[in-house]
Amino acid sequence: MKLYTFFRSGTSHRLRIALNLKGLSYDQVAVDLRREEHLAQAFKAIHPQQFVPVLDTEDRLMIQSPAIIEWLEERHRDPPLLPSDAAERAQVRALAAIVGCDIHPVNNRRILEALRHRFAADEAAINDWCGTWIGAGFDAIEALLASDRRRGDFCFGNHPTLADVYLVPQVESARRFKVDMARWPRVQAVDAACGQLDAFRQAAPAAQPDAG
């Protein structure tokens, strides 16, 4: 498989984690967002929204990280990223959705570029904007983790799930935007536990060929 990716993209990061957890090999094609390579017509032919990531399975081009990760879960079931119980699956999906639906969409590059160029936001304002929504989401995740008496080292149980796949890239993003993580000890503990696993370490932005 071929993965069109950018080292610092949170959605690319989460997909790299999922692929690694599934033990799947893939070649990376770097799309440098800093040089606006995603806006070129050649990339638009690959993804009409001009976003990363894109997964080329040889059979088809797959877009949107939630859809791709769902496909991975259906196609490559072992190890599972979702529990077998329906209520527990909903719990894990809810944790992932706090990141995927509520934090990331208002902090992605497209939004931040609009704030910079259309509303003259400086980097302090950008960090404050991002910190506001990251903080609101992490407050909720921290509370949910605290209320789960059965929780192990990860967001749910003793093995990484979809929730961890989403959370870790958002923690990376929080640090990049200078968010003080001190008030979320459980979130930090989950991030640390994930950081012990090769699947997460190898997916980290700094470990990518296009990092720099």
Side-chain angles (χ1 to χ4, degrees):
M1 293 187 290
K2 187 185 300 181
L3 178 64
Y4 293 83
T5 180
F6 177 60
F7 76 101
R8 209 166 56 197
S9 156
T11 50
S12 297
H13 188 179
R14 75 174 67 135
L15 183 51
R16 292 194 300 263
I17 294 170
L19 286 162
N20 292 349
L21 286 171
K22 296 290 187 181
L24 300 172
S25 61
Y26 54 94
D27 296 323
Q28 293 198 40
V29 179
V31 181
D32 194 337
L33 305 191
R34 297 165 299 184
R35 298 173 58 188
E36 298 192 337
E37 290 179 355
H38 61 300
L39 300 181
Q41 283 299 119
F43 189 68
K44 189 173 185 179
I46 294 170
H47 188 336
Q49 286 184 291
Q50 297 173 284
F51 296 158
V52 290
V54 177
L55 186 66
D56 184 349
T57 69
E58 296 186 342
D59 293 328
R60 66 188 65 228
L61 292 169
M62 306 192 75
I63 65 170
Q64 291 289 347
S65 62
I68 301 171
I69 294 171
E70 183 177 330
W71 175 82
L72 290 172
E73 184 70 357
E74 293 176 355
R75 184 76 177 267
H76 304 277
R77 296 183 179 275
D78 198 35
L81 299 180
L82 289 166
S84 57
D85 177 79
E88 292 176 348
R89 287 198 300 275
Q91 179 180 340
V92 168
R93 284 185 170 120
L95 287 165
I98 292 172
V99 173
C101 300
D102 300 327
I103 302 176
H104 179 266
V106 293
N107 287 346
N108 67 24
R109 186 179 187 276
R110 178 174 59 165
I111 299 299
L112 302 188
E113 288 297 286
L115 291 174
R116 290 183 180 105
H117 299 300
R118 294 176 58 188
F119 301 99
D122 61 15
E123 290 311 298
I126 293 292
N127 289 347
D128 182 67
W129 170 272
C130 292
T132 296
W133 310 118
I134 292 169
F138 280 6
D139 283 347
I141 292 173
E142 184 77 12
L144 290 167
L145 295 179
S147 68
D148 185 357
R149 296 180 180 179
R150 299 170 299 167
R151 188 177 69 84
D153 293 334
F154 300 93
C155 284
F156 181 88
N158 292 306
H159 303 281
T161 65
L162 186 70
D164 306 285
V165 168
Y166 275 71
L167 179 61
V168 167
Q170 192 60 66
V171 172
E172 173 77 21
S173 178
R175 293 185 175 122
R176 182 157 59 91
F177 292 116
K178 306 186 189 315
V179 176
D180 183 355
M181 295 290 298
R183 79 176 193 249
W184 306 296
R186 292 173 182 82
V187 169
Q188 290 188 83
V190 169
D191 181 63
C194 291
Q196 299 301 310
L197 302 180
D198 285 343
F200 286 85
R201 286 200 296 261
Q202 292 167 5
Q208 303 316 302
D210 60 324

